[in-house]
């Protein structure tokens, strides 16, 4: 099934000979009149917008999100993978305007330009509202990421005239623009969920995005990024959030599915995964860009005859992203972790079955013929080393747990390490846990009164074969349990930073983000990234975000 959908998407992408793919070219279409009555032509035009973030999602987005959260840190090996601090800086909240991990805001603005070009070429909102609704949905998503990651953002709702400079708007105004856009287009988007709509905006994708906007509403509408206080959480959008969750649940289009947790994220996942509301399709040969395995794979996995993936790998691994001890603790209790713990390499490592993605009893060996044994704790070679060096040897490579959630196969390593695992952006499991959170935070209006925070959390626990949540917990303790549950369920999926800020944990201590670490930063302004130098050079009317040094080009 996955091959079929990827073939379809490749055909659509091939028709984009008139699309704007070079950020330096003019945005004007080469068509005087676009054939808007030809559905294939329209789909081809839209495909370039749909897949604008394929490269960004595939690496840089992941690094920015996971390394700035408590999920992962980036170690270096004898200086290797330090890369001028691009990976260490997020781990310490010590971002700079030079860091490659945050150089992708331009991909979002370019995506808005592509969407606006499509909207214009298809006749605009009044002439063709249904055909342009998917482009507006993607434009809303691009704005969401700009606003979530950088705070104030330009509202790019039109193609700028020659010489027009667009200033950044306050974060709250951007959030309200996204809300307005989504509410207008949701009735116009398709409700179909099938091979043809996979990887494209649907009504359910737009509703899931609005759910994310609403559950974070107090974060996005605070007077300033440092003024949000998780201990004084007051959200006027909770009932609206619940209503959207109910609509997705009642649709019957999605469920947690019968496949194992590991299979959902394997290299043969795709439109058949019933949990995926919206995902970015990847293929090692035709839709390249995803490299999550390379960063998380143990450093010498490519140097042995049989890697722990159950096969010989044709290339080396990067191995610079390793799990923090604090996050690893979420998986210590097997009753809470359930099957999700199988995606974590911890302690003695065993070879996995490359068909089921399940661990076997066969020890995974290092180059000396000994079993790989990973430690939970990470000890730097030199205390407080800003490069986070652990040594370029087996002792260094063995520090920190690893993830095999986005399972690697050798085909990936024959082709630049680009994987075929599709990346979920919005999942049904997230809708269930977000509804549980909204109810715990005081939401009351629901079309499904049988749903309680505990029952919703237990739906997740049941499908991963974990123990039920204790129904006798207080609301405060249930919120704590739900926060941890989100960590276990959505690790590697780039939502942890978002959750940490909302729950008030972004300024917590976690390796190496400790109070006694000289370059660790705990300022609340670090909840958003600094504008990268490229954006400041391109937009001289913009100013650097508060809390960061003024950039001098």
């Amino acid at each position: 099934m996955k091959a079929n959908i990827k073939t379809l998407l490749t055909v659509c992408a091939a028709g984009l000979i008139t699309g704007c793919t070079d950020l330096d070219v003019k945005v004007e279409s080469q068509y005087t009149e676009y054939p808007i009555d030809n559905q294939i032509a329209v789909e081809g035009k839209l495909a370039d917008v749909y897949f604008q973030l394929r490269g960004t999602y595939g690496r840089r987005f992941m690094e920015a999100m996971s390394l700035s959260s408590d999920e992962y840190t980036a170690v270096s090996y004898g200086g290797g993978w330090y890369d001028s601090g691009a990976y260490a800086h997020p781990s310490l909240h010590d971002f700079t305007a030079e860091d490659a991990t945050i150089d992708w805001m331009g991909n979002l603005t370019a995506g808005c330009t592509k969407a606006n070009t499509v909207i214009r070429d298809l006749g605009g909102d009044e002439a063709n509202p249904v055909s342009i609704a998917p482009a507006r949905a993607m434009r809303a998503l691009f704005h969401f990421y700009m606003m979530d990651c950088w705070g104030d953002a330009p509202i790019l709702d039109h193609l700028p005239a020659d010489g027009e400079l667009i200033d950044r708007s306050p974060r709250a105004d951007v959030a309200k623009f996204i809300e307005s856009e989504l509410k207008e287009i949701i009735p116009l988007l398709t409700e179909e969920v099938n091979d043809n709509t996979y990887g494209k905006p649907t009504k359910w994708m737009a509703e899931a995005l609005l759910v994310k906007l609403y559950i974070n509403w107090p974060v996005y509408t605070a007077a300033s990024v440092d003024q949000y206080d998780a201990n004084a959480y007051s959200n006027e959008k909770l009932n609206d959030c619940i209503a959207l969750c109910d609509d997705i649940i009642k649709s019957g289009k999605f469920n947690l599915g019968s496949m194992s947790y590991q299979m959902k994220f394997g290299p043969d996942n795709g439109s058949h995964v019933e949990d995926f509301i919206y995902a970015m399709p990847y293929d090692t040969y035709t839709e390249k860009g995803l490299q999550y395995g390379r960063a998380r794979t143990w450093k010498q996995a490519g140097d042995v005859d049989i890697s722990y993936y159950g096969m010989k790998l044709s290339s080396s691994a990067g191995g610079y992203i390793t799990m923090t001890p604090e996050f690893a603790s979420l998986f210590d209790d097997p009753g809470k972790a359930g099957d999700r713990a199988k995606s974590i390499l911890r302690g003695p490592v065993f070879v996995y079955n490359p068909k089921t993605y399940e661990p076997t009893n066969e020890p995974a060996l290092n180059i000396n013929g000994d079993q790989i044994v990973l430690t939970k704790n990470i000890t730097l070679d030199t205390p407080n080393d800003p490069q986070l060096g652990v040594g370029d040897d087996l002792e260094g490579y063995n520090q920190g747990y690893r993830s095999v959630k986005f399972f690697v196969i050798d085909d990936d390593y024959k082709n630049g390490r680009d994987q075929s695992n599709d990346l979920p952006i919005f999942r049904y499991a997230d809708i269930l846990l977000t509804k549980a959170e909204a109810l715990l935070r005081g939401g009351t209006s629901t079309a499904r009164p049988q749903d309680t925070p505990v029952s919703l959390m237990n739906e997740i626990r049941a499908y991963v074969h974990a123990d039920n949540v204790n129904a006798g917990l207080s609301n405060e303790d249930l919120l704590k349990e739900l926060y941890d549950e989100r960590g276990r369920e959505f690790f590697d999926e780039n939502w942890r930073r978002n959750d940490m800020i909302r729950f008030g944990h972004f300024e917590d201590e976690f390796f190496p983000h400790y109070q006694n670490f000289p370059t660790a930063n705990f300022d609340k302004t670090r909840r958003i990234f600094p504008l990268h130098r490229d954006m400041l050079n391109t937009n001289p009317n913009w100013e650097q975000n508060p809390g960061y040094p003024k950039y001098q080009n």
Side-chain angles (χ1 to χ4, degrees):
M1 185 176 295
K2 186 171 185 178
N4 291 338
I5 181 63
K6 293 205 169 182
T7 300
L8 173 65
L9 298 178
T10 303
V11 169
C12 286
L16 294 174
I17 57 173
T18 61
C20 176
T21 56
D22 184 340
L23 302 187
D24 295 324
V25 303
K26 293 183 178 180
V27 298
E28 285 82 1
S29 170
Q30 295 178 23
Y31 283 112
T32 303
E33 293 184 6
Y34 198 79
I36 61 176
D37 294 331
N38 185 318
Q39 189 60 35
I40 295 177
V42 170
E43 282 297 305
K45 190 77 172 174
L46 287 165
D48 199 28
V49 182
Y50 298 158
F51 308 126
Q52 169 68 15
L53 293 184
R54 179 173 280 141
T56 301
Y57 276 145
R59 179 178 175 184
R60 292 308 191 196
F61 181 83
M62 173 272 290
E63 290 169 341
M65 298 302 177
S66 65
L67 294 177
S68 63
S69 77
D70 66 351
E71 279 188 342
Y72 293 102
T73 189
V75 295
S76 65
Y77 304 112
W81 288 106
Y82 178 61
D83 289 7
S84 302
Y87 316 114
H89 291 162
S91 296
L92 294 160
H93 293 185
D94 187 31
F95 313 101
T96 77
E98 308 280 343
D99 290 340
T101 43
I102 55 164
D103 70 355
W104 44 273
M105 186 180 186
N107 292 346
L108 301 172
T109 58
C112 292
T113 297
K114 291 182 179 183
N116 287 330
T117 303
V118 169
I119 290 168
R120 182 200 62 188
D121 289 351
L122 295 182
D125 186 40
E126 293 184 5
N128 212 351
V130 173
S131 291
I132 69 168
R136 292 177 68 186
M138 293 305 298
R139 188 176 65 182
L141 182 65
F142 301 148
H143 279 88
F144 175 84
Y145 288 135
M146 281 194 284
M147 177 267 303
D148 179 73
C149 295
W150 284 279
D152 296 352
I155 295 179
L156 302 173
D157 58 354
H158 65 282
L159 290 171
D162 288 344
E164 180 181 359
L165 295 178
I166 299 180
D167 288 325
R168 297 163 72 199
S169 295
R171 194 185 204 185
D173 290 350
V174 182
K176 291 169 185 174
F177 165 74
I178 297 168
E179 177 192 30
S180 175
E181 281 286 286
L182 293 173
K183 289 173 72 173
E184 282 186 24
I185 64 174
I186 281 171
L188 304 175
L189 290 164
T190 182
E191 297 185 10
E192 292 298 316
V193 176
N194 52 43
D195 284 3
N196 188 53
T197 62
Y198 184 68
K200 303 175 185 178
T202 63
K203 171 185 176 181
W204 318 112
M205 173 271 200
E207 287 194 342
L209 176 55
L210 194 50
V211 164
K212 284 290 185 186
L213 187 74
Y214 280 162
I215 198 65
N216 288 287
W217 196 255
V219 178
Y220 299 146
T221 58
S224 61
V225 64
D226 57 321
Q227 292 300 306
Y228 169 71
D229 183 359
N231 294 318
Y233 190 96
S234 177
N235 188 343
E236 64 189 273
K237 300 292 186 179
L238 287 177
N239 284 340
D240 295 322
C241 181
I242 292 169
L244 289 163
C245 291
D246 282 343
D247 199 43
I248 294 171
I249 294 168
K250 291 190 303 175
S251 75
K253 303 283 186 179
F254 310 96
N255 60 72
L256 296 173
S258 58
M259 65 176 59
S260 70
Y261 186 80
Q262 300 92 291
M263 293 292 286
K264 283 187 182 184
F265 309 99
D268 53 357
N269 65 352
S271 59
H272 57 286
V273 181
E274 298 156 303
D275 187 21
F276 290 3
I277 295 174
Y278 175 65
M280 182 60 69
Y282 286 92
D283 183 88
T284 188
Y285 295 108
T286 58
E287 280 88 35
K288 301 174 66 174
L290 189 82
Q291 294 195 351
Y292 286 25
R294 180 191 187 194
R296 292 173 170 85
T297 296
W298 185 73
K299 187 70 170 65
Q300 290 188 335
D303 301 328
V304 292
D305 290 338
I306 298 293
S307 71
Y308 54 71
Y309 294 110
M311 65 195 76
K312 169 70 177 174
L313 298 181
S314 296
S315 299
S316 63
Y320 58 96
I321 289 183
T322 185
M323 192 170 285
T324 71
E326 291 78 11
F327 192 78
S329 295
L330 291 180
F331 298 88
D332 284 348
D333 184 342
K336 292 182 177 180
D339 292 341
R340 297 171 295 205
K342 296 178 182 179
S343 295
I344 307 293
L345 297 183
R346 48 192 291 152
V349 178
F350 295 87
V351 173
Y352 276 68
N353 184 319
K355 294 183 178 179
T356 64
Y357 319 129
E358 297 263 359
T360 69
N361 294 322
E362 178 185 354
L365 306 181
N366 61 32
I367 58 173
N368 295 333
D370 301 319
Q371 186 172 16
I372 302 167
V373 180
L374 303 181
T375 65
K376 183 177 180 180
N377 291 323
I378 304 169
T379 303
L380 301 179
D381 262 4
T382 303
N384 298 331
D385 176 15
Q387 296 192 13
L388 308 184
V390 292
D392 194 9
D393 52 26
L394 283 172
E395 184 177 352
Y397 306 153
N398 287 342
Q399 296 199 49
Y401 292 169
R402 307 288 168 145
S403 167
V404 292
K405 181 168 174 174
F406 289 99
F407 200 86
V408 163
I409 58 176
D410 188 40
D411 269 6
D412 308 338
Y413 278 62
K414 292 176 180 176
N415 197 46
R417 305 181 187 87
D418 290 303
Q419 297 174 246
S420 290
N421 316 63
D422 292 354
L423 177 69
I425 311 302
F426 303 126
R427 289 207 281 131
Y428 182 72
D430 202 346
I431 296 302
L432 295 182
L433 289 185
T434 302
K435 180 177 179 181
E437 180 181 342
L439 289 170
L440 282 171
R441 292 190 183 277
T444 56
S445 177
T446 175
R448 288 172 52 93
Q450 70 271 30
D451 290 341
T452 67
V454 170
S455 73
L456 291 163
M457 293 169 69
N458 282 339
E459 285 191 53
I460 304 296
R461 289 286 183 88
Y463 100 93
V464 295
H465 304 107
D467 295 343
N468 280 344
V469 174
N470 183 350
L473 294 175
S474 66
N475 266 30
E476 181 180 355
D477 287 339
L478 279 173
L479 267 176
K480 168 67 167 61
E481 189 64 41
L482 185 141
Y483 173 68
D484 290 346
E485 186 68 12
R486 290 190 61 84
R488 287 184 284 264
E489 180 65 22
F490 304 115
F491 73 100
D492 287 10
E493 296 179 51
N494 306 310
W495 286 115
R496 184 64 171 178
R497 168 187 164 274
N498 183 280
D499 288 347
M500 291 183 75
I501 294 169
R502 183 172 70 259
F503 279 85
H505 292 297
F506 195 66
E507 289 80 40
D508 286 0
E509 291 190 90
F510 45 87
F511 183 90
H513 188 244
Y514 297 141
Q515 289 285 351
N516 62 354
F517 201 101
T519 55
N521 194 297
F522 291 83
D523 197 290
K524 293 177 182 179
T525 58
R526 301 303 166 115
R527 294 170 180 175
I528 55 175
F529 305 141
L531 294 169
H532 192 266
R533 63 179 182 187
D534 292 345
M535 297 307 297
L536 291 169
N537 289 337
T538 304
N539 301 276
N541 54 317
W542 292 7
E543 293 185 2
Q544 183 57 277
N545 278 331
Y548 293 100
K550 186 175 181 180
Y551 176 69
Q552 302 290 335
N553 62 14

